[in-house]
Amino acid sequence: MNPNAKGRHVVVRTIERAPSEVAEKLGAVGTATVHEAIGRRGSLGVDLHPIQQDVKVGGTAVTVLSHPGDNMMIHAAVEVCQPGDVLVVATTAPSTHGMFGDLLATSLITRGVRGLVIDAAVRDTADLRAMGFPVWTRHVSVQGTVKATPGSVNVPVTLGGVAISPGDVICADDDGVVVVAREEAEWALDRSNERLAKEEATRARLEAGELGVDFYGLRDRLVDLGVDWIDD
Amino acid sequence: MNPNAKGRHVVVRTIERAPSEVAEKLGAVGTATVHEAIGRRGSLGVDLHPIQQDVKVGGTAVTVLSHPGDNMMIHAAVEVCQPGDVLVVATTAPSTHGMFGDLLATSLITRGVRGLVIDAAVRDTADLRAMGFPVWTRHVSVQGTVKATPGSVNVPVTLGGVAISPGDVICADDDGVVVVAREEAEWALDRSNERLAKEEATRARLEAGELGVDFYGLRDRLVDLGVDWIDD
Amino acid sequence: MNPNAKGRHVVVRTIERAPSEVAEKLGAVGTATVHEAIGRRGSLGVDLHPIQQDVKVGGTAVTVLSHPGDNMMIHAAVEVCQPGDVLVVATTAPSTHGMFGDLLATSLITRGVRGLVIDAAVRDTADLRAMGFPVWTRHVSVQGTVKATPGSVNVPVTLGGVAISPGDVICADDDGVVVVAREEAEWALDRSNERLAKEEATRARLEAGELGVDFYGLRDRLVDLGVDWIDD
Amino acid sequence: MNPNAKGRHVVVRTIERAPSEVAEKLGAVGTATVHEAIGRRGSLGVDLHPIQQDVKVGGTAVTVLSHPGDNMMIHAAVEVCQPGDVLVVATTAPSTHGMFGDLLATSLITRGVRGLVIDAAVRDTADLRAMGFPVWTRHVSVQGTVKATPGSVNVPVTLGGVAISPGDVICADDDGVVVVAREEAEWALDRSNERLAKEEATRARLEAGELGVDFYGLRDRLVDLGVDWIDD
Amino acid sequence: MNPNAKGRHVVVRTIERAPSEVAEKLGAVGTATVHEAIGRRGSLGVDLHPIQQDVKVGGTAVTVLSHPGDNMMIHAAVEVCQPGDVLVVATTAPSTHGMFGDLLATSLITRGVRGLVIDAAVRDTADLRAMGFPVWTRHVSVQGTVKATPGSVNVPVTLGGVAISPGDVICADDDGVVVVAREEAEWALDRSNERLAKEEATRARLEAGELGVDFYGLRDRLVDLGVDWIDD
Amino acid sequence: MNPNAKGRHVVVRTIERAPSEVAEKLGAVGTATVHEAIGRRGSLGVDLHPIQQDVKVGGTAVTVLSHPGDNMMIHAAVEVCQPGDVLVVATTAPSTHGMFGDLLATSLITRGVRGLVIDAAVRDTADLRAMGFPVWTRHVSVQGTVKATPGSVNVPVTLGGVAISPGDVICADDDGVVVVAREEAEWALDRSNERLAKEEATRARLEAGELGVDFYGLRDRLVDLGVDWIDD
């Protein structure tokens, strides 16, 4: 049963994590390929944007479930973070508050955390970019928060319609964020590497002028589906 | 009558295009000026964003009408594209799927296509920028697609509330996307060049300190409309 | 009473402004710190975005209240602007029109205006960036406007749910826009400087590995609120 | 070529209409069935809502293209309306203005118009319901309009991403609005009647306990697509 | 200066109110007419919806400024409410919390409060309708709130982009919410009554078949603006 | 591990359900009370609306995970439904398709299903109301679907940011939808009944004129938080 069943508030100190080096490699593969490799799952959707460009991250999730407009539980989460983690912040209701800024990033950097994914807002974005701390967020806002309402750390959360458990792999880059279940991490890396090889071969054929419509066998399928080629 | 009247699915292979060099020149003029020159029409609205900065494109539309979450018809469209075209992708219902990525871009680059305008999402954005293939899109998403449902190529479509016919001119830059009807292309270029000259003269007068409120004769109009100047 | 009470349209020529150098200093502090310093107020919210990166501005508000899709009153506002001002444009109903472009920016630059905050759209964004004229806007759009409907200049307006009076301080940077009431400007600067010093000290402690959960005394508060630390 | 090509503003007085009784019958069929019957086309999407419940309308489109926040062209359209028409109002940019109320409805009722579809807002909604004048609208708003900017009547427009020509059939009910091209009206009615008969037969079988998964032959298709039935 | 200047939290017990009977009469006039009568101002926009139909309210504003997700200040506001008031709740950042339900409504009904306008969410909507307590709200949500963060009562707030002061008149009906400044209440009622009489006369002429395009003198204006009447 | 781990598509035929009569009683309690009773959890948020008024439902979840724009898996789900179930439909990406209508409702009614919660759109809403089949949906749309892409039945899904497992309790009424974990169902009912009793007592005191600010002990808390009562 979930550690926060029956409305209990908890900070779970010890979690099982996907292997750090597998998480890092999945991050390097890139979100689009990983997402395809594992069966088109795990995308956190179109509303979580990077605040920087040309950065790829892979790490293991430490999760936070906060009251909106209150960042007390993010502070509580810092000490359970380890090198290789990515902090993942969900809220119990939609929030546009700037719940995270350069001071929290300073703390996380000292602990080796690789980045932040937050379903609310961040601030100090110019500083965060200058510090090289990567962030994916729904909003940017200066709006400050209080520290008054309890929540939980390292319980299952959902962001962008996807369930995330502590220790899952978070991959994030310019295209968004993809989560890979902890138990599927190695399998996902194998599948991703297969796909990378296949994409490389496809690219070579396309550069040589072959057409995807032939390549993927779509021409017959289109005919079967009743598509006509006409010269207007 | 539309080639896809009565629900027929078609790939129209041959279309009449606006002259390629006129399309290119309209692209170089810039969307804001072209839009004004043709009577404040043709803007695809505020929700189609470039994924790159400081790029201007002008080309002729090859259109795709797809089922959301299905990119089979984009593959079917590749072979009807010619150098100087811009691929324009509409969907039959709103979509946040990443229907286009670096492999399709590879194909389009080999055919001389100048860019993509898509009313859904793209992925591999870092690669697309690195490849120099310009894209205007509603969303960025890794979410993959299937290849299962028929649609049409080179039929009239609408994006952002504007009707686009195959062969129309697509102008796109940092401000968004403007479409110019094929039959109006030369007229639009003439009007745009006139406007550019006029804007240049206006800019010189404004830099010299003249005021638009005088320059455009607005002071009298404001008085007529009952506006009072007061010193509080 | 408001100068535009009972529906009167006015251009208020002379307004009381916060001291220009105080406004400039508040801009340099940064929006997040100013917002916190004055009691977490004044944020114009998450929907006004900068069109440029790494720019901080502080200035005094000249306000415009326009009919949507009509920029006549922006032209009327130019001549009441002074060096050190920031132009603030609100509309009487939501608007996605590109109400401002490079020609108006040319005029404002000649008058020493420091930037624009607009609750509608701008166009010519590549030019505005090249000219170094900073803009915070809800949308980017080529869609042009008419000059037909009266409005007011230098009356109280609201943007992003915040009331702004002429002469108030506008601070804007990558995180958004914060308004400081004219009467509170010096107080806000003092409070901001205090906060900057405090943040500096906090940063040093966090870099040394201290934890915010201890530092801010949150551990006891969490216990009081019923949070349990568990080892899963 | 469109009557409003090259930015011309026109009021087209005489248009060809789909037969009024065919339009009425298509309205009575209901939007969902008509939409399916013609190949899943013509839906104006999820953002146009009825202000009343349990009303079905079918009529022929008189179209208006207005500047947002300006209802002058709606007034100009009244005199070209005939019994059996539905007024269709599009704007050149998004609008939340209450461009239509009980006085315009009074005029349209005297001319036998069957309803309104508007891509902006209406007001006097309680009165409109009391008058029995059906409306589908994007917003409800008291925000008033000016009468200052030209537009066109009876030119092609797009609403909700669908192109509408004057004289096309508009079907509207609790599920939304569907447009049927004038040239396809009779064909659409035949197809709709066939579909109604088929739906009736299907309903009887489902009420008898047959399953759609068998009925539509989906069980084999699911197996082919790799779906497993498991007992957990 | 505002009672909550410099971030102070206050409950202002005594405020000056517009006359209760004037507020009631303005409510009975209806929002669209009042909005027009006072110069097309005061609309709180399209996002505040009634949870009931066919109810018109007019009353004097008691304002609340709350932290989102925290309804403590609404409880604090109850005792300063008087018969004839309408409670107006704004939040310091966007909120989707159900901050108000049947228990608070019970309290307000005992004090003679006429309704609620809230820029967040309410719950117990079926009960509220059954109790006859009218509500205009941005959202409906069961999501509960805490009672932890201070705010203010009877300070100026903004809702839907409009500034509201304690004691102002709130008019609300099926079309939305309109605010009339306390100092303008009598003037607004006079203007509204004039407008009602004028609308009545207009309605009679329109019912007799006269056209607005003639009635309002629009035909000449359209010609001046370059509109052509054509027979296609 | 999830039955659909590693991208497998499954129809899980047999699931463990919360007791049907407990689910029914939780539905009768109402969503707001249940949500509070279990610790302010389980709300599916503000974007799932009922298509009917004054209906309360409680049942056990049968879940569907569909490709957007494809309702094949809903058909596959029908045969695993039992009396007392509520069908819960999630999609792998946002969808505005009308994936459910009167024919599917006919099937579900014959199987004793109590209602539908769907994170997409429905159609035939007038018929569904007439049939007495309750629906909570994100959108209403006539837009039809294909039957081409595999998905799963009775796997964990998320709607509105909340994870739902097959067999969980779904409570739905005019305020929205709340999910209660299967293992917490009895506990939730006990807690809800306690809360109902407490609310009843509170209501009586409020009707007698007591104030919540005293009743809940908020007056001292407000003083502690620095709120001042002032007479303006």
Side-chain angles (χ1 to χ4, degrees):
Chain A
M1 197 180 282
N2 279 353
N4 64 336
K6 304 195 177 173
R8 213 178 142 204
H9 298 299
V10 296
V11 177
V12 179
R13 259 190 293 243
T14 51
I15 59 171
E16 207 168 338
R17 287 168 168 87
S20 182
E21 69 285 359
V22 172
E24 191 165 14
K25 282 178 187 165
L26 281 166
V29 166
T31 57
T33 298
V34 171
H35 162 82
E36 282 290 332
I38 64 174
R40 290 189 196 121
R41 293 176 300 140
S43 165
L44 302 199
V46 299
D47 293 323
L48 290 173
H49 306 281
I51 65 163
Q52 66 286 319
Q53 224 174 46
D54 285 326
V55 174
K56 284 180 169 182
V57 159
T60 42
V62 165
T63 65
V64 179
L65 183 59
S66 278
H67 188 73
D70 193 311
N71 70 354
M72 184 162 53
M73 298 316 296
I74 302 181
H75 286 283
V78 171
E79 70 178 321
V80 306
C81 288
Q82 296 183 359
D85 283 340
V86 169
L87 194 66
V88 173
V89 180
T91 55
T92 54
S95 171
T96 59
H97 288 83
M99 294 173 71
F100 185 97
D102 69 332
L103 292 177
L104 275 164
T106 299
S107 269
L108 291 180
I109 289 172
T110 67
R111 301 189 76 81
V113 172
R114 292 182 184 155
L116 170 75
V117 175
I118 182 166
D119 197 10
V122 298
R123 55 188 188 179
D124 305 324
T125 49
D127 294 329
L128 293 170
R129 279 188 290 265
M131 295 161 76
F133 185 78
V135 172
W136 286 259
T137 182
R138 184 175 289 266
H139 302 289
V140 171
S141 172
V142 301
Q143 183 72 37
T145 58
V146 295
K147 299 182 198 337
T149 313
S152 290
V153 172
N154 277 334
V155 297
V157 297
T158 72
L159 265 87
V162 175
I164 304 177
S165 292
D168 283 351
V169 177
I170 302 297
C171 306
D173 58 21
D174 287 5
D175 289 348
V177 184
V178 167
V179 61
V180 178
R182 181 174 57 78
E183 302 86 349
E184 299 184 5
E186 279 92 351
W187 170 81
L189 183 55
D190 290 344
R191 294 286 304 265
S192 296
N193 285 331
E194 288 167 27
R195 189 170 169 92
L196 279 178
K198 193 174 137 203
E199 284 175 355
E200 198 50 47
T202 303
R203 188 173 296 109
R205 293 176 67 175
L206 294 172
E207 281 170 349
E210 283 192 66
L211 289 170
V213 71
D214 297 314
F215 197 84
Y216 299 115
L218 301 179
R219 211 176 288 274
D220 289 350
R221 195 180 307 176
L222 289 164
V223 171
D224 287 349
L225 291 165
V227 176
D228 292 321
W229 277 259
I230 62 177
D231 296 288
D232 194 31
Chain B
M1 196 179 284
N2 278 355
N4 64 335
K6 303 193 177 174
R8 214 179 140 204
H9 299 299
V10 296
V11 177
V12 179
R13 258 189 294 243
T14 53
I15 59 170
E16 209 168 336
R17 288 168 167 88
S20 182
E21 68 285 0
V22 172
E24 191 166 14
K25 283 178 186 165
L26 281 166
V29 166
T31 57
T33 297
V34 170
H35 163 82
E36 282 289 331
I38 65 175
R40 290 189 196 118
R41 295 175 299 140
S43 165
L44 302 198
V46 300
D47 294 322
L48 290 173
H49 306 279
I51 64 163
Q52 65 287 319
Q53 222 174 46
D54 285 327
V55 174
K56 284 179 169 183
V57 159
T60 42
V62 165
T63 65
V64 178
L65 184 59
S66 278
H67 188 72
D70 193 310
N71 71 355
M72 184 161 55
M73 299 316 295
I74 302 182
H75 285 283
V78 172
E79 71 178 322
V80 306
C81 288
Q82 296 183 0
D85 283 340
V86 170
L87 193 67
V88 174
V89 180
T91 54
T92 55
S95 171
T96 59
H97 288 82
M99 296 173 70
F100 185 98
D102 69 331
L103 292 178
L104 275 164
T106 299
S107 270
L108 291 180
I109 289 172
T110 68
R111 301 189 77 82
V113 173
R114 291 181 185 157
L116 171 75
V117 175
I118 183 167
D119 197 10
V122 298
R123 55 188 188 179
D124 305 324
T125 50
D127 294 329
L128 294 171
R129 280 188 290 266
M131 295 161 77
F133 186 76
V135 172
W136 286 258
T137 182
R138 183 175 290 264
H139 302 290
V140 171
S141 172
V142 300
Q143 183 71 38
T145 57
V146 294
K147 298 183 197 342
T149 314
S152 289
V153 173
N154 278 332
V155 297
V157 296
T158 71
L159 265 86
V162 174
I164 304 177
S165 292
D168 283 351
V169 177
I170 303 296
C171 306
D173 58 21
D174 287 4
D175 290 348
V177 184
V178 166
V179 61
V180 178
R182 181 175 57 79
E183 302 86 350
E184 298 184 6
E186 281 92 351
W187 170 81
L189 183 55
D190 291 344
R191 292 286 305 265
S192 295
N193 285 330
E194 287 167 27
R195 188 170 169 95
L196 279 178
K198 195 173 136 204
E199 284 175 355
E200 197 50 48
T202 302
R203 188 172 297 109
R205 292 175 69 175
L206 294 172
E207 282 170 348
E210 282 193 67
L211 289 169
V213 71
D214 297 315
F215 197 83
Y216 298 117
L218 300 179
R219 211 176 287 274
D220 289 352
R221 196 181 304 176
L222 289 164
V223 171
D224 287 351
L225 290 166
V227 176
D228 292 322
W229 277 259
I230 61 176
D231 297 288
D232 194 29
Chain C
M1 197 180 281
N2 277 355
N4 65 337
K6 303 193 176 174
R8 212 179 143 205
H9 298 299
V10 296
V11 177
V12 179
R13 258 190 295 242
T14 53
I15 59 170
E16 208 169 335
R17 286 168 168 88
S20 181
E21 69 285 359
V22 172
E24 192 166 12
K25 283 177 185 165
L26 281 166
V29 166
T31 56
T33 299
V34 171
H35 163 82
E36 282 290 331
I38 65 175
R40 293 193 192 116
R41 293 176 301 141
S43 165
L44 302 198
V46 300
D47 293 323
L48 290 172
H49 306 279
I51 64 164
Q52 66 287 318
Q53 223 175 45
D54 285 325
V55 173
K56 284 179 168 182
V57 159
T60 42
V62 165
T63 65
V64 178
L65 184 58
S66 276
H67 188 73
D70 192 311
N71 72 354
M72 185 161 55
M73 299 316 296
I74 302 181
H75 286 283
V78 172
E79 70 178 321
V80 307
C81 288
Q82 295 182 0
D85 284 340
V86 169
L87 194 66
V88 174
V89 179
T91 55
T92 55
S95 171
T96 58
H97 288 82
M99 295 175 70
F100 185 96
D102 71 330
L103 292 178
L104 275 164
T106 300
S107 269
L108 291 180
I109 289 172
T110 67
R111 300 189 76 82
V113 172
R114 291 180 185 158
L116 171 75
V117 176
I118 183 166
D119 197 10
V122 298
R123 56 188 188 180
D124 304 325
T125 49
D127 294 329
L128 293 171
R129 279 189 291 265
M131 294 161 76
F133 186 77
V135 172
W136 287 258
T137 182
R138 184 174 290 265
H139 302 290
V140 171
S141 172
V142 301
Q143 184 71 38
T145 58
V146 295
K147 300 182 196 338
T149 313
S152 289
V153 174
N154 278 333
V155 297
V157 297
T158 73
L159 264 87
V162 174
I164 304 176
S165 292
D168 284 351
V169 176
I170 303 297
C171 306
D173 58 21
D174 286 4
D175 289 348
V177 183
V178 167
V179 61
V180 178
R182 180 175 57 79
E183 302 86 349
E184 299 184 6
E186 279 92 352
W187 170 81
L189 184 54
D190 290 345
R191 293 286 306 263
S192 297
N193 284 332
E194 288 167 27
R195 188 171 169 90
L196 280 179
K198 194 174 136 203
E199 285 175 354
E200 197 50 48
T202 302
R203 188 173 296 108
R205 293 177 67 176
L206 294 172
E207 282 170 349
E210 284 192 64
L211 289 170
V213 72
D214 298 312
F215 196 84
Y216 298 118
L218 300 180
R219 211 175 288 272
D220 290 350
R221 196 181 304 176
L222 289 165
V223 172
D224 287 349
L225 290 165
V227 176
D228 292 322
W229 276 259
I230 61 177
D231 295 288
D232 196 28
Chain D
M1 196 179 287
N2 278 354
N4 64 336
K6 303 192 177 176
R8 212 178 143 204
H9 299 300
V10 296
V11 177
V12 180
R13 259 189 294 241
T14 53
I15 59 169
E16 209 168 335
R17 288 168 168 87
S20 182
E21 70 286 359
V22 172
E24 192 165 12
K25 283 177 187 166
L26 281 165
V29 167
T31 57
T33 298
V34 171
H35 162 83
E36 282 291 330
I38 65 174
R40 292 190 195 118
R41 294 175 301 139
S43 164
L44 302 198
V46 299
D47 294 322
L48 291 173
H49 306 281
I51 65 164
Q52 66 286 319
Q53 223 173 45
D54 285 325
V55 174
K56 284 179 168 183
V57 160
T60 42
V62 165
T63 66
V64 178
L65 184 58
S66 276
H67 187 73
D70 193 311
N71 71 354
M72 184 160 55
M73 299 316 295
I74 302 181
H75 285 283
V78 172
E79 71 178 321
V80 306
C81 289
Q82 296 182 0
D85 283 340
V86 169
L87 193 66
V88 174
V89 180
T91 55
T92 54
S95 170
T96 58
H97 288 82
M99 295 174 71
F100 185 97
D102 70 330
L103 292 177
L104 275 164
T106 300
S107 269
L108 291 180
I109 289 171
T110 67
R111 300 189 78 81
V113 172
R114 292 181 186 157
L116 171 75
V117 176
I118 183 166
D119 197 9
V122 298
R123 55 187 188 181
D124 305 325
T125 50
D127 294 329
L128 294 170
R129 279 188 290 264
M131 295 161 76
F133 186 78
V135 172
W136 288 258
T137 182
R138 183 174 291 265
H139 303 289
V140 170
S141 172
V142 300
Q143 184 70 38
T145 58
V146 295
K147 300 181 195 340
T149 313
S152 289
V153 173
N154 277 333
V155 297
V157 298
T158 73
L159 264 88
V162 175
I164 304 176
S165 292
D168 283 352
V169 176
I170 303 296
C171 306
D173 57 21
D174 287 4
D175 289 348
V177 184
V178 166
V179 60
V180 178
R182 180 175 56 79
E183 301 86 348
E184 299 184 4
E186 281 91 351
W187 169 82
L189 184 54
D190 291 344
R191 294 286 304 264
S192 296
N193 284 331
E194 288 167 26
R195 188 171 169 92
L196 280 179
K198 195 174 136 202
E199 285 175 354
E200 198 49 47
T202 302
R203 188 173 296 109
R205 294 177 67 175
L206 294 172
E207 282 170 349
E210 284 193 63
L211 289 170
V213 71
D214 297 313
F215 196 83
Y216 299 118
L218 300 179
R219 212 176 285 274
D220 290 350
R221 197 180 304 175
L222 289 164
V223 172
D224 288 349
L225 290 166
V227 176
D228 293 322
W229 276 258
I230 61 177
D231 295 287
D232 195 28
Chain E
M1 196 179 281
N2 278 354
N4 65 336
K6 304 193 176 175
R8 214 179 140 203
H9 299 299
V10 296
V11 177
V12 180
R13 259 189 293 243
T14 54
I15 59 170
E16 207 168 337
R17 286 168 168 88
S20 182
E21 69 285 1
V22 172
E24 191 166 13
K25 284 178 186 164
L26 281 166
V29 167
T31 56
T33 298
V34 171
H35 162 83
E36 282 290 330
I38 65 174
R40 291 188 197 121
R41 294 175 301 140
S43 165
L44 302 198
V46 299
D47 294 322
L48 291 173
H49 306 281
I51 64 163
Q52 65 287 319
Q53 223 175 45
D54 285 325
V55 174
K56 284 179 167 184
V57 159
T60 42
V62 165
T63 65
V64 178
L65 184 59
S66 277
H67 188 73
D70 193 310
N71 71 355
M72 184 161 54
M73 299 315 296
I74 301 181
H75 285 283
V78 172
E79 71 178 321
V80 307
C81 288
Q82 296 182 0
D85 283 339
V86 170
L87 194 66
V88 174
V89 180
T91 54
T92 54
S95 171
T96 59
H97 288 82
M99 296 174 69
F100 185 97
D102 70 331
L103 292 178
L104 275 163
T106 300
S107 270
L108 291 180
I109 288 172
T110 67
R111 302 189 76 82
V113 173
R114 292 182 184 156
L116 170 75
V117 176
I118 183 167
D119 197 10
V122 298
R123 55 187 187 179
D124 304 324
T125 50
D127 294 328
L128 294 170
R129 280 189 290 266
M131 296 160 75
F133 186 77
V135 172
W136 287 257
T137 182
R138 183 174 290 266
H139 303 289
V140 171
S141 172
V142 300
Q143 183 71 38
T145 58
V146 295
K147 299 184 197 338
T149 314
S152 289
V153 173
N154 277 334
V155 297
V157 297
T158 72
L159 265 87
V162 174
I164 304 177
S165 292
D168 283 351
V169 177
I170 303 297
C171 305
D173 57 21
D174 286 3
D175 290 347
V177 184
V178 166
V179 61
V180 178
R182 179 175 57 79
E183 301 86 348
E184 298 185 6
E186 281 91 351
W187 169 82
L189 184 54
D190 291 344
R191 292 286 304 266
S192 296
N193 286 330
E194 288 168 27
R195 188 170 169 92
L196 280 178
K198 193 174 137 203
E199 284 175 355
E200 198 49 49
T202 302
R203 187 173 297 110
R205 293 176 68 174
L206 294 172
E207 281 170 349
E210 283 192 67
L211 289 169
V213 71
D214 297 313
F215 197 84
Y216 299 117
L218 300 179
R219 212 175 286 274
D220 290 350
R221 196 181 304 175
L222 289 165
V223 172
D224 288 350
L225 290 166
V227 177
D228 291 321
W229 277 259
I230 62 177
D231 296 287
D232 193 31
Chain F
M1 196 179 283
N2 278 354
N4 65 336
K6 303 194 177 174
R8 212 178 143 205
H9 299 298
V10 296
V11 177
V12 180
R13 259 190 294 242
T14 52
I15 59 170
E16 208 168 337
R17 287 168 167 87
S20 182
E21 68 285 0
V22 173
E24 191 165 13
K25 282 177 188 165
L26 281 166
V29 166
T31 57
T33 297
V34 171
H35 162 82
E36 282 290 331
I38 65 174
R40 291 188 196 119
R41 294 175 300 138
S43 164
L44 302 198
V46 299
D47 294 322
L48 290 173
H49 306 281
I51 65 163
Q52 65 287 319
Q53 224 174 43
D54 285 325
V55 174
K56 284 179 168 183
V57 160
T60 41
V62 165
T63 64
V64 179
L65 183 58
S66 277
H67 188 72
D70 193 311
N71 71 354
M72 184 162 53
M73 299 316 296
I74 302 181
H75 286 283
V78 172
E79 70 178 320
V80 305
C81 289
Q82 296 183 358
D85 284 339
V86 170
L87 193 67
V88 173
V89 180
T91 55
T92 54
S95 171
T96 59
H97 288 82
M99 295 173 70
F100 185 97
D102 69 332
L103 292 177
L104 276 163
T106 299
S107 269
L108 292 180
I109 288 171
T110 67
R111 300 189 77 81
V113 173
R114 293 183 184 155
L116 170 75
V117 175
I118 183 167
D119 197 11
V122 299
R123 55 188 188 180
D124 304 324
T125 50
D127 294 329
L128 294 171
R129 279 188 290 265
M131 295 161 76
F133 185 76
V135 173
W136 287 258
T137 182
R138 185 174 289 266
H139 302 289
V140 171
S141 173
V142 300
Q143 183 71 37
T145 57
V146 294
K147 301 186 199 332
T149 315
S152 290
V153 173
N154 277 333
V155 296
V157 297
T158 73
L159 265 87
V162 174
I164 304 177
S165 292
D168 284 350
V169 177
I170 303 296
C171 306
D173 58 21
D174 287 4
D175 290 347
V177 184
V178 166
V179 61
V180 178
R182 180 175 57 79
E183 301 85 350
E184 299 184 4
E186 280 91 350
W187 169 82
L189 183 55
D190 290 344
R191 293 286 305 264
S192 296
N193 285 331
E194 289 167 26
R195 189 171 168 91
L196 280 178
K198 193 173 137 204
E199 284 175 355
E200 199 49 48
T202 303
R203 188 173 296 109
R205 292 175 69 175
L206 294 172
E207 281 170 350
E210 282 192 67
L211 289 170
V213 72
D214 297 314
F215 196 84
Y216 299 116
L218 301 179
R219 212 176 287 274
D220 289 350
R221 195 180 306 176
L222 289 164
V223 172
D224 287 350
L225 290 166
V227 176
D228 293 321
W229 277 259
I230 62 177
D231 296 287
D232 194 31

